[in-house]
Amino acid sequence: MIVELGHYALVLALALAIAGGTLPFYGALRGDERLMAIAPSTTIMQFVFVAFSFAALTHAYLVSDFSVLNVVENSHSLKPLLYKITGVWGNHEGSMLLWVLILALFGALVALFGNNLPLKLKALVLSVQAWIGVAFLTFILATSNPFIRLLNPPVEGNDLNPVLQDIGLAVHPPLLYLGYVGCSISFAFAIAALIDGRIDAAWARWVRPWTLTAWLFLTLGIAMGSYWAYYELGWGGWWFWDPVENASFMPWLAATALLHSAIVMEKREALKIWTILLAILTFSLSLLGTFLVRSGVLTSVHAFATDPTRGIFILCILCLFIGGGLALFALRAGTLSQGGLFAPISREGALVFNNLMLTAACATVLVGTLYPLALEALTGEKISVGAPFFNMTFGPLMVPLLIAVPFGPFLAWKRGDIIAVGERLLFAFGAAVLVVVIGLALMGFSAAMSLLGLALAVWLMVGAASEIAFRIKLFRAPLMESWRRGVGLPRSAWGTAVAHFGLGVTLLGIIASTAWNTEIITTMKPGDTVTIGSRTLTMDGFLPVSGGTYRGTAVRFTLRQGGAVVTTLEPEKRLYTVQNTPTTEASIKTFGFSQLYVSLGDIGADGATTVRIYWKTLITLIWLGAMVMAGGAALSLSDRRLRVGAPKPARRAAPATAVPAE
């Protein structure tokens, strides 16, 4: 009965989405406040019904209701509780329901916390959001119903893809979807503004927190997915330029550009056309990622390869919203005013440069991702575009951008003094040069390129710290005065500096783990020892392992330094018996910010085992930096100024009229 109620709740949610998309929109066009006031209530109730539907599907997984086809295909009664829950979104139908749940959640949040929005703008935003919900609810009910019953249910289920039975999959998809789907709010704001004709500094301030929220979750989602692939797939890499990885990375690049563009629009009412276009393109790239993952055009561990009917349906949704959004933008772009003028050397100029580089980088990733698909569709020829292409195209675009990042916050609006900014960044420049000099002295010129990468990371981190030090007059004023200035500094300023610092931390981890990674691939038997730097790794023997729906073998290794035992590692080879699928579970030990990574290959009948051993220098900084960037975004979100509209220019007081004396 609960399953049927969950299905029915989806139908009711669709009806509410149609009402919420139609009536408030009509009211906004006619100026009818009563119809516009319907939008919040329909949006909130739509979320309630979708949430109930999602809870009903989750209940079916928890009780192992094998009369539901979706549960049969993706669960098993012996599966641990956590993986029963993650199985809800570990498949196409369930993940689409999660997608719509988050879409409805963001709409409900705007309805509840958008009280500072003008009634007409709020009604239009929620109407656009509702029509997106209509499209995807129709898609689920027509092609991807997760509540299909079986007349003759089996006794047991088929289990979830073993690679997805991991704690990372309990966290990665929800985070990623919060970022993906969160971009829909920026899109809704852009379409509403184009319809309403009101695009000003207040609009930019209203859209910033929603974009920042989506960017925050997208950052965490990408980082979590990267770490999951690193430890779960057993290959020791943290990024593969997989098309599905790129599908989440492209909206992140576009959202980053949108955030910076919205700042210019808020402060100077400039870049209006560019900001609106970026808001449309960011969500368009999110929809493109949804299409790539679910159309069956990609084969990836991340992808839900499904039948072409679903792919065509999503392609129609993609064309409708992308094409419709861009068509409306083309019609309205000519009516947008130019905004404030500024010199090339200014904060606006730095942000424009930032946007150009990010957009070009996004276009590069887009071409590298879609070109093989387009070529195969047109000619039947299959090619692979991998890391060499992206490293040669994406990397050179990022270098000038990263060099410019510390300059932006120091430059004044409208017209800046590049020489004065250079003086304020002398300490950061000196620290970067010092890294190169010391590195060359220790490692020689063969490591010059890697040292330049480290210098760039230090330049970013020290540059971000220098911005805060300058603003609070650190060492130039009494300590208590600097403290008071720091406390009074806007949280958005702190957030920007923290996010830029986190970018430097991530870059430091990327450079160090790439340049000074040690890899050993060898065959070992019990008693054999391998030397890794100043440590030795000894293979002790085999241990049987089992749990849930798998059984397998672990190999115990002992790590010693100077004869003393440091730690033990137990990588595993598992066989998931239901699907008869083998997996490799790496064993990882962290030392400071570096890691020792041990993964197993084939195990021979005589005990000879292929072993992959990696020493990953400072690799944890990659994900730590992403967390710092997300922390900077959260700090900016706590700034009260982002919760209110932009201040209105004060009107000049009318001159007093002389009153004749009586």
Side-chain angles (χ1 to χ4, degrees), residues 434-455:
L434 186 62
V435 166
V436 175
V437 172
I438 294 175
L440 289 175
L442 294 176
M443 291 176 279
F445 284 93
S446 60
M449 293 302 296
S450 300
L451 292 172
L452 288 175
L454 288 186

Side-chain angles (χ1 to χ4, degrees), residues 444-470:
F445 284 93
S446 60
M449 293 302 296
S450 300
L451 292 172
L452 288 175
L454 288 186
L456 186 56
V458 171
W459 163 254
L460 284 169
M461 291 187 290
V462 181
S466 298
E467 177 200 348
I468 297 297
F470 174 78

